[in-house]
Amino acid sequence: MGIRGGTSESMFLSGMYGFSKFIFSLVASFFFIDALGRRRSLFIGITLQLISHVYIGVFIKYHQEGPVSSSASQAAIAVVFFHAFGYAVGLFVLPYIFGGELWPNRLRSFGGAVSQTFHWLFIYAVKYSIPSLLKTTNNWGAFLFFAGWCFLALIYVFFMVPEISGLSVEEIDYLFKGSWFNAYKRARQHPVIDSVETGNSKVSTESGGKNPATELSLVKVTLGNASVPDK
């Protein structure tokens, strides 16, 4: 990254990077994702990764052409940790959460296994292809390549990923009735489940288009003859 140092300094930074990812993952799992919601966490995490990839790619390009300032080199190191936080908040932790929440009960075990299989297959593919990709793109191009994928991921999240934080299984099932491209729109409405057994549902406009996770106090689930508020 343009900063001189021996093997000990490189090992120290590598160790700190691994430790920071561990801490960031804990913070994201226990606090960040529940506070902001799944959809917003994905947006923030992917955006941080996109910015990090662009900066590192541009930095390496200029560094190859000549010397760079010490502040730019230090910023590049900071951006690496910046990227680690974005990855922990978005694409590292959330696939596990979505794999356990999105699937209906009858398919949850199978769906979770399939989602995790593809998650780790893609991680393996990225790690396996990195050396040849760096060589082919003269190092800096690989980071812009990943930035492009982050941009596509933002588009995918906007159109395909609804907010499911705080929703029950029945409410999540309601979101995916119909076109997946409208799931994020239905998440802004307020689903009311008439019966858990029959699965009949209707949309209430009392929430005024707000996120249902903030309006769950209005939802009631009828079990037999008893009406129980869904908290």
Side-chain angles (χ1 to χ4, degrees):
M1 289 295 183
I3 295 181
R4 296 178 180 179
T7 304
S8 60
E9 183 176 351
S10 299
M11 292 181 64
F12 174 76
L13 289 175
S14 298
M16 288 300 297
Y17 177 72
F19 181 73
S20 66
K21 287 201 297 184
F22 172 72
I23 297 299
F24 291 154
S25 298
L26 290 180
V27 172
S29 300
F30 290 101
F31 305 104
F32 204 87
I33 293 175
D34 285 333
L36 294 180
R38 280 67 165 138
R39 179 180 166 91
R40 188 175 298 176
S41 296
L42 267 180
F43 270 117
I44 293 175
I46 296 174
T47 301
L48 293 180
Q49 287 187 266
L50 190 154
I51 295 173
S52 302
H53 284 307
V54 171
Y55 182 87
I56 294 176
V58 173
F59 172 82
I60 293 176
K61 174 65 175 177
Y62 278 95
H63 182 58
Q64 290 174 343
E65 296 178 352
V68 294
S69 64
S70 176
S71 59
S73 299
Q74 293 175 353
I77 294 177
V79 164
V80 172
F81 291 89
F82 196 62
H83 177 275
F85 178 75
Y87 180 58
V89 170
L91 295 176
F92 179 68
V93 173
L94 281 170
Y96 295 93
I97 297 177
F98 280 121
E101 293 181 344
L102 284 179
W103 296 91
N105 289 331
R106 67 182 185 278
L107 297 174
R108 181 158 298 180
S109 298
F110 174 77
V114 171
S115 62
Q116 290 309 306
T117 299
F118 278 97
H119 176 62
W120 284 103
L121 281 177
F122 279 113
I123 290 179
Y124 172 77
V126 170
K127 292 183 179 295
Y128 182 80
S129 61
I130 279 293
S132 60
L133 182 62
L134 290 173
K135 182 179 180 180
T136 303
T137 60
N138 200 19
N139 292 326
W140 63 271
F143 293 94
L144 299 185
F145 173 77
F146 288 127
W149 279 106
C150 288
F151 179 75
L152 293 178
L154 287 176
I155 297 176
Y156 175 84
V157 171
F158 181 81
F159 286 105
M160 300 292 289
V161 180
E163 179 56 67
I164 61 173
S165 178
L167 299 184
S168 65
V169 175
E170 291 78 14
E171 290 169 319
I172 294 175
D173 184 61
Y174 163 80
L175 296 181
F176 290 95
K177 288 183 177 179
S179 174
W180 282 18
F181 286 94
N182 292 322
Y184 78 100
K185 295 180 180 179
R186 286 192 290 271
R188 298 175 182 176
Q189 299 172 334
H190 188 72
V192 177
I193 309 301
D194 294 326
S195 173
V196 174
E197 296 180 355
T198 61
N200 296 327
S201 62
K202 61 182 179 179
V203 177
S204 171
T205 59
E206 295 175 356
S207 62
K210 296 181 180 179
N211 191 313
T214 63
E215 301 289 335
L216 287 179
S217 60
L218 300 177
V219 179
K220 292 186 177 181
V221 178
T222 303
L223 299 173
N225 296 325
S227 180
V228 181
D230 185 12
K231 298 181 180 179

